[in-house]
């Protein structure tokens, strides 16, 4: 059984979802990682999964919230698995507490979104929020949003979960997250990350293109990089078996390395 390096309890794995996601997006991972001996914790970020909607939030507040949920669950130095927005939160947490985690898996994410007042960033926000500002609702928009970011052969059950999560997200929360994303900037800390890190991305991900994530991995000391063939921006839902195999393989490699170190 994979164990925490400070206790005899199972090693915690914390799953942090992206914009429009929820803890339900990680249900297949909760089941498979638990079966593999880990202690998985899938979180609902502020404003998601039935939590009160938020109208403004930043990455320090996101990190405060996730850290509080980890502490409440009693997890010690867990692994962070962050997808998209969740990967940005994980990077913030790694800067705030460099030795506080066993490892990190950054999925379909980026180390920066540039400057909030740049033309690209302004257009990004305007384009994402225009349908809501024109009177559309999240349930009306959810299927179209998900179809744009998933690969063509996505698991139907996973797609249904993604659409349901997006549809249930309050419009205010979605807007607050879009506005937060364009403030994100953690490039300067990539070289300071000192826990084992995996950068994982779907081959067809246009939100976090593989070439960009490969450059990101190259700046993190010792990081591994893997592409999941045929998958888009929601790989854990599009092909849970392929996603789990990649992440569990990475974590088993860490456990094997620990055992060799202890034996030596």
């Amino acid at each position: 059984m994979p164990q925490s390096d400070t206790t005899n309890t199972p090693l915690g794995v914390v799953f942090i979802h992206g914009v429009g996601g929820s803890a339900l997006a990680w249900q297949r991972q909760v089941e498979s990682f638990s079966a593999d001996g880990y202690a998985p914790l899938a979180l609902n970020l502020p404003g998601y999964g039935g939590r009160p909607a938020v109208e403004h939030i930043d990455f320090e507040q996101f990190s405060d919230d996730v850290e509080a949920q980890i502490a409440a669950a009693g997890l010690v130095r867990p692994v962070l698995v962050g997808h998209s927005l969740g990967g940005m939160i994980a990077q913030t947490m790694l800067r705030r507490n460099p030795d506080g985690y066993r490892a990190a898996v950054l999925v379909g994410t980026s180390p920066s979104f540039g400057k909030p007042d740049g033309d690209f960033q302004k257009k990004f926000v305007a384009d994402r929020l225009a349908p809501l500002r024109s009177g559309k609702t999240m349930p009306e928009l959810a299927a179209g949003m998900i179809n744009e970011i998933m690969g063509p052969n996505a698991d139907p059950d996973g797609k249904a979960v993604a659409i349901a999560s997006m549809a249930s997200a309050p419009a205010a929360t979605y807007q607050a997250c879009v506005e937060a994303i364009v403030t994100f900037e953690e490039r300067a800390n990539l070289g300071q990350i000192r826990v084992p890190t995996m950068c994982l991305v779907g081959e067809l991900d246009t939100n976090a293109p593989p070439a960009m994530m490969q450059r990101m991995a190259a700046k993190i000391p010792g990081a591994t990089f893997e592409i999941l063939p045929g998958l888009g921006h929601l790989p854990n839902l599009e092909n849970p078996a392929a996603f789990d195999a990649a992440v569990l393989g990475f974590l088993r490699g860490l456990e094997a390395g620990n055992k060799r170190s202890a034996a030596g």
Side-chain angles (χ1 to χ4, degrees):
M1 178 178 69
Q3 294 183 340
S4 166
D5 52 9
T6 57
T7 71
N8 291 323
T9 58
L11 178 61
V13 182
V14 178
F15 295 96
I16 313 170
H17 65 78
V19 176
S22 69
L24 288 176
W26 298 108
Q27 187 56 43
R28 295 280 290 273
Q29 283 69 49
V30 168
E31 294 169 0
S32 61
F33 280 67
S34 179
D36 218 64
Y38 293 91
L41 175 65
L43 306 181
N44 284 307
L45 293 172
Y48 290 100
R51 299 182 66 184
V54 297
E55 295 187 355
H56 174 77
I57 194 163
D58 60 33
F59 283 93
E60 299 301 326
Q61 292 169 319
F62 272 131
S63 299
D64 287 341
D65 185 89
V66 173
E67 289 165 358
Q69 292 192 65
I70 290 173
L75 299 181
V76 178
R77 291 196 77 228
V79 175
L80 298 178
V81 180
H83 168 253
S84 197
L85 168 69
M88 296 176 175
I89 296 168
Q91 291 176 68
T92 306
M93 295 167 66
L94 290 170
R95 170 177 51 77
R96 286 161 53 119
N97 189 4
D99 298 313
Y101 307 98
R102 175 67 186 88
V105 181
L106 306 176
V107 185
T109 192
S110 167
S112 171
F113 215 96
K115 51 185 181 179
D117 58 350
D119 291 340
F120 171 81
Q121 288 74 17
K122 289 178 181 178
K123 185 176 186 303
F124 175 88
V125 172
D127 288 349
R128 295 302 186 280
L129 300 183
L132 291 173
R133 290 170 174 168
S134 71
K136 297 286 188 181
T137 66
M138 292 299 291
E140 289 173 326
L141 296 169
M145 290 177 171
I146 296 303
N147 285 331
E148 284 184 3
I149 62 176
M150 275 191 155
N153 299 309
D155 176 82
D157 291 337
K159 179 176 283 192
V161 169
I163 292 172
S165 292
M166 185 70 77
S168 68
T173 298
Y174 178 81
Q175 177 170 329
C177 289
V178 169
E179 293 172 343
I181 283 174
V182 298
T183 71
F184 184 68
E185 178 56 77
E186 287 289 343
R187 284 177 292 189
N189 191 58
L190 291 179
Q192 307 306 312
I193 294 175
R194 50 186 184 236
V195 301
T197 301
M198 178 186 213
C199 292
L200 184 63
V201 66
E203 177 190 16
L204 306 179
D205 192 337
T206 56
N207 284 15
M212 180 275 293
M213 285 210 70
Q214 187 171 25
R215 292 193 297 271
M216 176 181 174
K219 295 179 180 178
I220 301 173
T224 62
F225 171 71
E226 185 168 341
I227 296 175
L228 294 171
L231 303 185
H233 189 56
L234 301 175
N236 62 300
L237 289 166
E238 296 178 44
N239 189 333
F243 178 87
D244 294 355
V247 178
L248 287 170
F250 169 68
L251 296 182
R252 288 169 187 150
L254 299 182
E255 296 298 319
N258 285 347
K259 290 176 181 177
R260 286 195 297 271
S261 297

